[in-house]
Amino acid sequence: MTDNITPPTDNTDDTTAPIPDPRKESLIEYPSQFPIKVMGAKTDGLVHAITQIAERFDPAFDATTVELRDSKAGNYLGVTITVTATSREQLDDLYRALSSHPSVKVVL
């Protein structure tokens, strides 16, 4: 008695579309107003440095829209900036630039 054993098949189909990378998918419509919260040590020049970085990535950035909030103990400052987001790459680069500032602790 012989069993009909079918060898496993290679289910590779060269005509299938590549699976999208979920890390590159975006729920943001561009361009859009995009708020970013930056928290850092309350030092002289922190707000100015953050606004300069924002202006590098968004030439139309309006510094009058910056919102500030002191921490309870007054050692840290929360700075909310709103930029015109034009692409994921722009936002990624802006987050990296803000995060690299020595006084910045967190960027959300």
Side-chain angles (χ1 to χ4, degrees):
M1 173 176 207
T2 315
D3 290 326
N4 288 335
I5 299 175
T6 306
T9 59
D10 182 4
N11 290 328
T12 306
D13 183 358
D14 292 335
T15 61
T16 60
I19 298 171
D21 184 347
R23 294 170 296 174
K24 293 187 179 186
E25 294 289 318
S26 179
L27 300 176
I28 302 168
E29 286 189 34
Y30 299 103
S32 68
Q33 294 299 299
F34 193 84
I36 299 173
K37 295 186 186 237
V38 182
M39 287 163 268
K42 190 173 182 180
T43 58
D44 289 337
L46 174 65
V47 175
H48 182 68
I50 291 171
T51 57
Q52 282 189 320
I53 293 169
E55 288 169 347
R56 280 194 350 232
F57 292 91
D58 177 10
F61 174 72
D62 182 3
T64 64
T65 63
V66 172
E67 297 174 26
L68 305 176
R69 176 173 284 167
D70 284 322
S71 66
K72 286 184 182 182
N75 297 323
Y76 295 94
L77 183 65
V79 182
T80 301
I81 59 172
T82 302
V83 297
T84 302
T86 57
S87 69
R88 171 143 184 180
E89 292 78 19
Q90 175 214 27
L91 288 176
D92 288 346
D93 291 344
L94 176 55
Y95 272 82
R96 277 191 286 277
L98 290 166
S99 298
S100 69
H101 189 280
S103 295
V104 171
K105 304 298 180 198
V106 178
V107 180
L108 304 171

